[in-house]
Amino acid sequence: MRKIFLTIGLLISSLLVLESCKQTPKQMHLTGSTMGTYYSVKFLNNVVLPRIEEVHTEIDKRLALVNTHMSTYRKTSELSLFNQHKDRSPFRVSVDTAEVINEALRINKISNGALDVTVGPLVNLWGFGPEERPDRVPSDELIAQRRAMTGIRHLSVDGNNLIKTNPDLYVDLSSIAKGFGVDVIASYLTELGLKNYLVEIGGELKLKGMNAESQPWRIAIEKPNNAQQTIQEIIAPGDMAMATSGNYKNYFEVDGIRYSHIINPATAKPINHRMVSVTIVDKSCMTADGFSTAFMVMGPEDALVVANDEAIAAFFIVKTDTGFTEIASDAFKKYLLY
């Protein structure tokens, strides 16, 4: 009899183990601050991991390294030291910084100069950097002075060395570094063996696998409405990254005229067309981040031509006299759910 009880007990234990294996893995959620914004990391804990505190610490460590390399707010970062470098001699940087600047240079060419990571002095002049926001539009003289400090033609990369031919050149990677940070954390989660995750830094995303309901991740594109958060579209990016740029939140007004934080390198002034939001889907969040800014600068007509020519998945929200209209590139249409 005792043997029978033992056998039954073993069978019950085995069934419980099998049942526990069928249970949906627990979704973990880690948050924190980085690059002047927030980060959010969600993943299904379906592999053997280090303690969750160790994972959280490692995420913070890797994001801190990105800031150490590329922040313009840290005077001792690689990028800040390069900006202080006043001669043409090569300035050695990390592999990561060189990679991000190389991608910025590539996107600059594809976008016909729309993405220019040297426009930081102009961004600051217009009050969207560390300088105080102006109470009037900057004069043409001030704009010309700052413009003389810009120009991506003065910037090049040779291996891990940065070279500038204008001693006053100032590089700001805020239009692409968040996306790179997302890629860094996504790569770390993949290293851990995780197959289902969502990484977000300030609205830039990278996704893989399924959510806690065993469904593909779905992402809402926000309607450009300052009064309340509403949804314009819902998309299913799959195992891809996604970045959005817009000009409907960060701006100031003078004499009834709205000035966007996005500066057109060709005019040295804020953009003034009707595009209000750009969303890009790409394998690389760094690339998506850069193109979302570039296309915001270009405007809907020119951006759509480039997106279709280069098979870039791009989604535009454009203001009309009666509301908003949507424009999707050919490569983006497969992500739309409705």
Side-chain angles (χ1 to χ4, degrees), residues 65-71 76-85 89-103 105 155-164 171 173 180:
L65 186 60
V66 175
N67 272 312
T68 297
H69 289 159
M70 304 177 209
S71 172
T76 57
S77 73
E78 281 186 351
L79 195 62
S80 291
L81 293 175
F82 172 67
N83 287 338
Q84 298 165 37
H85 184 66
S89 61
F91 186 90
R92 192 162 185 82
V93 295
S94 63
V95 173
D96 287 352
T97 302
E99 177 186 350
V100 173
I101 292 181
N102 267 320
E103 182 64 356
L105 292 170
L155 177 66
S156 61
V157 182
D158 181 11
N160 287 352
N161 293 312
L162 306 184
I163 301 166
K164 56 182 171 182
V171 177
L173 298 176
F180 178 77

Side-chain angles (χ1 to χ4, degrees), residues 66 70 96 99-100 176-184 285-286 289:
V66 175
M70 304 177 209
D96 287 352
E99 177 186 350
V100 173
I176 195 169
K178 278 195 305 179
F180 178 77
V182 169
D183 290 334
V184 166
C285 197
M286 169 179 63
D289 200 5

